[in-house]
Amino acid sequence: MRRTRTVVLCIAGLVGATLPAGTTEALTPTAPARAPAPAACANSPGPAEGQAREVLDIARRAQRELGLNAVILRVSSGGKEVLTTALGQSMTGVQAEPSMHFRTGSVAIVYMGAVLLQLVEQGKASLDDPVSRWLPDVPHGSEITLRMLGSSTSGLHDYVTDPAFLSQLEAAPFRPWTPAEVIGFATRRPLLYEPGTNWSYSHANFALLGAALEKISGLPLERLLTERVITPLGLSETSNQYTPQIPEPVLHSFTSERGTYEESTFWNPSWTTAPGAVLVQDICDLDRSARAVGTGELLSAKSFRTQLDPGTIGLGHPTSSCPASACQLANTKDRHFGLGVIVDNGWILTNPSFSGYAAIQAYLPAKKLAISVSVTQGPKSPEGNSAQVIAERISAALAPDHALRMR
C-alpha cells in the first residue's frame, strides 16, 4: 500500500549556495566551553527495575503493537540515566544498538533557532530584520523577517507537500538536490497569507534561515553549528551528513513510501534542510540535546523565553488562501510552535521523521525529565511518527499530570 511521504518535522507532520558570500568576520561563540566527551552509548546494565522496568515494558509492547523493526530509547531524570536500551533489529540478523546513528532532521532547526538568538544577543542581527537585508534575492524578502523564518510564520509554501517536488523525489530518491532547486518550489507560488499573520510549517523557512545565518556570521553553517552547539554540548556522535553517508554503526531504515517496502537508509537527504544542518546522531546525543534545549543551556534567560514564545500563540487557522492542510495547528499557550521548537503541555520538543526513520527529543522542565526515542518502520507499521507514540506513553507513565498529547 502506498504511503504519504513523511516529512522532517511531524508537527501535523537554499538559496545559500547561490547567494553572495557576504562578510567573512568570524564570531566568538557565546556558548559554554567544550563539555567532556561522554562514554560510549550502551544499554543500561543489569535487570531493569522500577521506572526503568516500566519504560522497558512500554517500549516492548509498542514495538510489537506497531510492528517496528527497531526501537532505541533513552530516558533520563535530573540528568541521570533511567534507561538506555535498543530493541529489535537494524536489519535482518543485526541487533539494534544504542550506539547506532540515525537521521534527526528537525533537531537541526532547533539548533539554528538557538544560533540565531545567540547572534541577536551579540547585536549582529535583529529578529525583526527583513530577510532581504541578508538574502537580497529571495522573493518576498522585504516582507519576511528572520523571526518569521524561525517561527514558521512567513507564509511560504512547504515544498515537501508540493506534488511536483514529491513526484520527482519519489522517482529518484538518491538524487542530490541543490538549495536553489528545493527553495524554488516554495517561492514560485503565492504566499499563503501576509507574513506574520498566520502559522504554517514550511521546510523553506529553515532552508532560508540556514543561508541567512551564514551571511550574518560569515561562517559556513556546519562550522557555525559545530562551534556554537555541537562542541559546547559535547555531542561527539552528532555530525552533518548532507550526502547519503551515515557514520558506522548505522541504524538502517525501511519504508513503503513508494508503494513497495524497501530499504531507505541511504536515500539522499540533501532536500531536507540547509546544507550544513543535515544531522545524524545517536540516542545518547539526542538525550543530551533534549536536556540542553529544554533548559535553555545555550541561551540567556531572555532569549530562551523568546525561543519558547516568539509570538505564535493565537496564530494557526485555515483561511481562503491557506487551507487546513497547511494552516492546521492552532497555536495555544499550552501547545504551540516556538522558534524552531514545539511546546506541548509543558514539554519542549521536536519530532523529526525521514523516509522510514522517526524520532523525538522531549524535555519537561517541571520534572527535569528527558525522553528520547528513535524507531524504524516494519512492513506493517502505521503511518505517522511512532517514536512520538512511545514518548507519549512513557510521559503518561512517568509524568501523568504532564502527558504529551501531540496527536
Side-chain angles (χ1 to χ4, degrees), residues 4-56:
T4 303
R5 175 171 294 276
T6 53
V7 296
V8 173
L9 179 78
C10 297
I11 187 67
L14 292 151
V15 194
T18 63
L19 295 172
T23 178
T24 58
E25 179 187 3
L27 302 177
T28 302
T30 59
R34 178 193 293 265
C41 195
N43 287 299
S44 299
E49 299 177 350
Q51 286 189 333
R53 182 69 194 189
E54 195 171 8
V55 171
L56 181 60

Side-chain angles (χ1 to χ4, degrees), residues 248-259:
E248 293 285 349
V250 180
L251 178 66
H252 286 246
S253 66
F254 302 81
T255 183
S256 301
E257 287 175 4
R258 301 199 306 164

